[in-house]
Coordinates of all heavy atoms in Angstrom, one line a residue:
R1 N 0.8 -1.2 0.0 CA 0.0 0.0 0.0 C 0.8 1.3 0.0 O 0.4 2.3 -0.4 CB -0.9 0.0 1.2 CG -1.9 -1.1 1.2 CD -2.9 -1.0 2.4 NE -3.8 -2.1 2.5 CZ -5.1 -1.9 2.8 NH1 -5.6 -0.7 3.0 NH2 -5.9 -3.0 2.9
I2 N 2.1 1.2 0.5 CA 3.0 2.3 0.6 C 4.2 2.0 -0.3 O 5.1 1.2 0.2 CB 3.3 2.7 2.0 CG1 2.0 2.9 2.8 CG2 4.2 3.9 2.1 CD1 2.3 3.1 4.3
K3 N 4.3 2.6 -1.4 CA 5.4 2.4 -2.3 C 6.3 3.6 -2.5 O 5.8 4.7 -2.6 CB 4.9 1.9 -3.7 CG 4.3 0.5 -3.7 CD 4.0 0.1 -5.2 CE 3.5 -1.3 -5.3 NZ 2.2 -1.5 -4.7
I4 N 7.6 3.4 -2.6 CA 8.6 4.4 -2.9 C 9.3 4.0 -4.2 O 9.8 2.9 -4.3 CB 9.6 4.6 -1.8 CG1 8.9 4.9 -0.4 CG2 10.6 5.7 -2.1 CD1 8.2 6.2 -0.4
N5 N 9.2 4.9 -5.2 CA 9.8 4.6 -6.5 C 9.3 3.2 -7.0 O 10.1 2.5 -7.6 CB 11.3 4.7 -6.4 CG 11.8 6.1 -6.3 OD1 11.1 7.1 -6.7 ND2 12.9 6.3 -5.6
G6 N 8.1 3.0 -6.9 CA 7.5 1.8 -7.4 C 7.7 0.5 -6.6 O 7.2 -0.6 -7.0
Q7 N 8.4 0.6 -5.5 CA 8.7 -0.6 -4.7 C 8.0 -0.5 -3.4 O 8.0 0.5 -2.7 CB 10.2 -0.8 -4.5 CG 11.0 -0.9 -5.8 CD 10.7 -2.2 -6.5 OE1 10.5 -3.3 -5.9 NE2 10.5 -2.1 -7.8
S8 N 7.4 -1.6 -2.9 CA 6.8 -1.7 -1.6 C 7.8 -1.3 -0.6 O 9.0 -1.7 -0.7 CB 6.2 -3.1 -1.3 OG 5.3 -3.4 -2.3
I9 N 7.4 -0.6 0.4 CA 8.4 -0.2 1.5 C 8.9 -1.4 2.2 O 8.2 -2.4 2.3 CB 7.7 0.8 2.5 CG1 8.7 1.4 3.5 CG2 6.5 0.1 3.2 CD1 8.2 2.5 4.3
S10 N 10.1 -1.4 2.6 CA 10.8 -2.6 3.2 C 10.2 -2.9 4.5 O 9.6 -2.1 5.2 CB 12.3 -2.3 3.3 OG 12.5 -1.3 4.3
E11 N 10.4 -4.1 5.0 CA 9.9 -4.6 6.3 C 10.5 -3.7 7.4 O 9.8 -3.3 8.3 CB 10.2 -6.1 6.5 CG 9.4 -7.0 5.6 CD 9.7 -8.5 6.0 OE1 10.4 -8.7 6.9 OE2 9.2 -9.3 5.3
S12 N 11.8 -3.4 7.3 CA 12.5 -2.7 8.3 C 12.0 -1.2 8.4 O 11.7 -0.7 9.5 CB 14.0 -2.7 8.1 OG 14.3 -2.1 6.8
L13 N 11.8 -0.6 7.3 CA 11.3 0.8 7.3 C 9.8 0.8 7.7 O 9.4 1.7 8.5 CB 11.4 1.4 5.9 CG 12.7 2.1 5.6 CD1 12.7 2.7 4.2 CD2 13.2 3.1 6.6
F14 N 9.0 -0.1 7.3 CA 7.6 -0.2 7.7 C 7.5 -0.4 9.2 O 6.8 0.3 9.9 CB 6.9 -1.4 7.0 CG 5.4 -1.5 7.3 CD1 4.5 -0.8 6.6 CD2 5.0 -2.2 8.4 CE1 3.2 -0.8 6.9 CE2 3.6 -2.3 8.7 CZ 2.7 -1.6 7.9
T15 N 8.4 -1.3 9.8 CA 8.4 -1.5 11.2 C 8.8 -0.3 12.0 O 8.2 0.1 13.0 CB 9.3 -2.7 11.5 OG1 8.8 -3.9 10.8 CG2 9.4 -3.0 13.0
E16 N 9.9 0.4 11.5 CA 10.4 1.5 12.2 C 9.4 2.7 12.2 O 9.1 3.2 13.3 CB 11.7 2.0 11.4 CG 12.3 3.3 12.0 CD 13.4 3.8 11.2 OE1 14.0 3.0 10.4 OE2 13.8 5.0 11.4
Y17 N 8.8 3.0 11.1 CA 7.8 4.1 11.1 C 6.5 3.7 11.8 O 5.9 4.6 12.4 CB 7.6 4.5 9.6 CG 8.7 5.4 9.0 CD1 9.5 4.9 8.0 CD2 8.9 6.7 9.6 CE1 10.5 5.7 7.4 CE2 9.9 7.5 9.0 CZ 10.7 7.0 8.0 OH 11.7 7.8 7.5
F18 N 6.1 2.5 11.7 CA 4.9 2.0 12.3 C 5.0 2.3 13.8 O 4.1 2.9 14.4 CB 4.7 0.5 12.1 CG 3.5 0.0 12.9 CD1 2.2 0.0 12.2 CD2 3.6 -0.4 14.2 CE1 1.1 -0.4 12.9 CE2 2.5 -0.9 14.9 CZ 1.2 -0.9 14.3
W19 N 6.1 1.9 14.5 CA 6.2 2.0 15.9 C 6.4 3.5 16.3 O 6.0 3.9 17.4 CB 7.2 1.1 16.5 CG 6.8 -0.3 16.4 CD1 7.2 -1.3 15.6 CD2 5.7 -0.9 17.2 NE1 6.5 -2.4 15.9 CE2 5.6 -2.2 16.8 CE3 4.9 -0.4 18.2 CZ2 4.7 -3.1 17.4 CZ3 3.9 -1.2 18.8 CH2 3.8 -2.5 18.4
E20 N 7.0 4.3 15.5 CA 7.1 5.7 15.8 C 5.8 6.4 15.8 O 5.4 7.1 16.8 CB 8.0 6.4 14.7 CG 8.2 7.9 15.0 CD 9.1 8.6 14.0 OE1 9.8 7.9 13.3 OE2 9.1 9.8 14.0
V21 N 4.9 6.1 14.8 CA 3.6 6.6 14.8 C 2.7 6.0 15.9 O 2.0 6.7 16.6 CB 2.9 6.4 13.4 CG1 1.4 6.7 13.4 CG2 3.7 7.2 12.3
H22 N 2.8 4.7 16.1 CA 2.0 4.0 17.1 C 2.3 4.6 18.5 O 1.4 4.8 19.3 CB 2.2 2.5 17.0 CG 1.3 1.7 17.8 ND1 1.4 1.5 19.2 CD2 0.2 1.0 17.5 CE1 0.4 0.8 19.6 NE2 -0.3 0.4 18.6
R23 N 3.6 4.7 18.8 CA 4.0 5.2 20.1 C 3.4 6.6 20.4 O 2.8 6.9 21.4 CB 5.5 5.3 20.2 CG 6.0 5.9 21.5 CD 7.5 5.8 21.6 NE 8.2 6.3 20.4 CZ 8.4 7.6 20.1 NH1 8.0 8.5 20.9 NH2 9.0 7.9 19.0
K24 N 3.5 7.5 19.4 CA 3.0 8.9 19.6 C 1.5 8.9 19.8 O 0.9 9.7 20.6 CB 3.4 9.8 18.4 CG 4.9 10.1 18.3 CD 5.2 11.0 17.1 CE 6.7 11.3 17.1 NZ 7.1 12.1 16.0
L25 N 0.8 8.1 19.0 CA -0.7 8.1 19.1 C -1.1 7.4 20.4 O -2.0 7.9 21.1 CB -1.3 7.3 17.9 CG -1.2 8.0 16.6 CD1 -1.7 7.0 15.5 CD2 -2.0 9.2 16.6
E26 N -0.4 6.4 20.8 CA -0.7 5.7 22.1 C -0.5 6.6 23.3 O -1.2 6.6 24.2 CB 0.2 4.4 22.2 CG -0.1 3.5 23.4 CD -1.4 2.8 23.3 OE1 -1.9 2.5 22.2 OE2 -2.0 2.6 24.4
N27 N 0.6 7.4 23.2 CA 1.0 8.2 24.4 C 0.1 9.5 24.5 O 0.2 10.2 25.5 CB 2.4 8.6 24.3 CG 3.4 7.5 24.5 OD1 3.0 6.4 25.1 ND2 4.6 7.6 24.1
T28 N -0.7 9.8 23.5 CA -1.5 11.0 23.5 C -3.0 10.7 23.5 O -3.8 11.6 23.1 CB -1.1 11.9 22.3 OG1 -1.2 11.2 21.1 CG2 0.3 12.4 22.5
K29 N -3.3 9.5 23.8 CA -4.8 9.1 23.8 C -5.6 9.9 24.8 O -5.1 10.1 25.9 CB -4.9 7.6 24.1 CG -4.5 6.7 23.0 CD -5.0 5.3 23.1 CE -4.6 4.6 24.5 NZ -5.0 3.2 24.6
E30 N -6.7 10.3 24.4 CA -7.6 11.0 25.3 C -8.5 10.0 26.1 O -9.1 10.4 27.1 CB -8.5 12.0 24.5 CG -7.7 13.1 23.9 CD -8.5 14.0 23.0 OE1 -9.8 13.8 22.9 OE2 -8.0 14.9 22.3
H31 N -8.7 8.9 25.5 CA -9.5 7.8 26.2 C -9.0 6.5 25.6 O -8.2 6.4 24.7 CB -11.0 8.0 26.0 CG -11.4 8.2 24.6 ND1 -11.6 7.2 23.7 CD2 -11.7 9.4 23.9 CE1 -11.9 7.7 22.5 NE2 -12.0 9.1 22.6
E32 N -9.4 5.4 26.2 CA -8.9 4.1 25.9 C -9.0 3.7 24.4 O -8.1 3.1 23.8 CB -9.6 3.0 26.7 CG -9.0 1.6 26.6 CD -7.6 1.5 26.9 OE1 -7.1 2.3 27.8 OE2 -6.8 0.7 26.3
S33 N -10.1 4.1 23.8 CA -10.3 3.7 22.4 C -9.9 4.7 21.4 O -10.3 4.7 20.2 CB -11.8 3.3 22.1 OG -12.6 4.4 22.4
D34 N -9.1 5.7 21.8 CA -8.8 6.8 21.0 C -7.6 6.5 20.1 O -6.5 7.1 20.3 CB -8.5 8.1 21.9 CG -8.3 9.3 21.1 OD1 -8.7 9.4 19.9 OD2 -7.7 10.3 21.6
M35 N -7.8 5.5 19.2 CA -6.7 5.2 18.2 C -7.4 5.1 16.9 O -8.6 4.6 16.8 CB -6.1 3.8 18.6 CG -5.1 3.9 19.8 SD -3.5 4.7 19.4 CE -2.7 3.5 18.5
P36 N -6.7 5.4 15.8 CA -7.3 5.3 14.5 C -7.5 3.9 14.1 O -6.7 3.0 14.5 CB -6.3 6.0 13.6 CG -5.0 5.9 14.3 CD -5.3 5.9 15.8
M37 N -8.5 3.6 13.3 CA -8.7 2.3 12.7 C -7.7 2.0 11.7 O -6.8 2.9 11.3 CB -10.1 2.2 12.1 CG -10.3 3.1 10.9 SD -11.7 2.6 9.9 CE -11.2 3.3 8.4
Y38 N -7.7 0.8 11.2 CA -6.7 0.2 10.3 C -6.4 1.2 9.1 O -5.2 1.6 9.0 CB -7.2 -1.1 9.7 CG -6.3 -1.9 8.8 CD1 -5.6 -2.9 9.4 CD2 -6.3 -1.6 7.5 CE1 -4.7 -3.7 8.5 CE2 -5.5 -2.4 6.6 CZ -4.7 -3.4 7.2 OH -3.9 -4.2 6.4
F39 N -7.4 1.6 8.3 CA -7.1 2.4 7.1 C -6.6 3.8 7.5 O -5.7 4.4 6.9 CB -8.3 2.5 6.2 CG -8.1 3.2 5.0 CD1 -7.4 2.7 3.9 CD2 -8.5 4.6 4.8 CE1 -7.1 3.3 2.7 CE2 -8.3 5.2 3.6 CZ -7.6 4.6 2.6
K40 N -7.2 4.4 8.6 CA -6.8 5.7 9.0 C -5.4 5.7 9.5 O -4.6 6.6 9.3 CB -7.7 6.3 10.1 CG -9.0 6.8 9.6 CD -9.8 7.4 10.7 CE -11.1 8.0 10.2 NZ -12.0 8.5 11.3
F41 N -5.0 4.6 10.2 CA -3.6 4.5 10.7 C -2.7 4.5 9.6 O -1.6 5.1 9.6 CB -3.5 3.3 11.6 CG -2.1 3.2 12.3 CD1 -2.0 3.6 13.6 CD2 -1.0 2.7 11.6 CE1 -0.7 3.5 14.2 CE2 0.2 2.6 12.2 CZ 0.4 3.0 13.5
L42 N -3.0 3.6 8.6 CA -2.1 3.5 7.4 C -2.0 4.8 6.7 O -0.9 5.2 6.1 CB -2.6 2.4 6.5 CG -2.4 1.0 7.0 CD1 -3.1 0.0 6.1 CD2 -0.9 0.6 7.2
T43 N -3.1 5.6 6.6 CA -3.0 6.9 6.0 C -2.1 7.9 6.7 O -1.3 8.6 6.1 CB -4.5 7.5 5.9 OG1 -5.3 6.6 5.1 CG2 -4.4 8.8 5.1
V44 N -2.2 7.9 8.0 CA -1.3 8.7 8.8 C 0.1 8.3 8.6 O 1.1 9.1 8.4 CB -1.6 8.6 10.3 CG1 -0.6 9.3 11.2 CG2 -3.0 9.2 10.6

């Protein structure tokens, strides 16, 4: 779903950026379910 120069992003980069975004969203939750769903998360 996320390609750079026609190639799917690597496992290592996907993992690195995923946890950077996940950590920031998790640490700033206003309530327990305050996390984006699957597609919204991937869009962010």
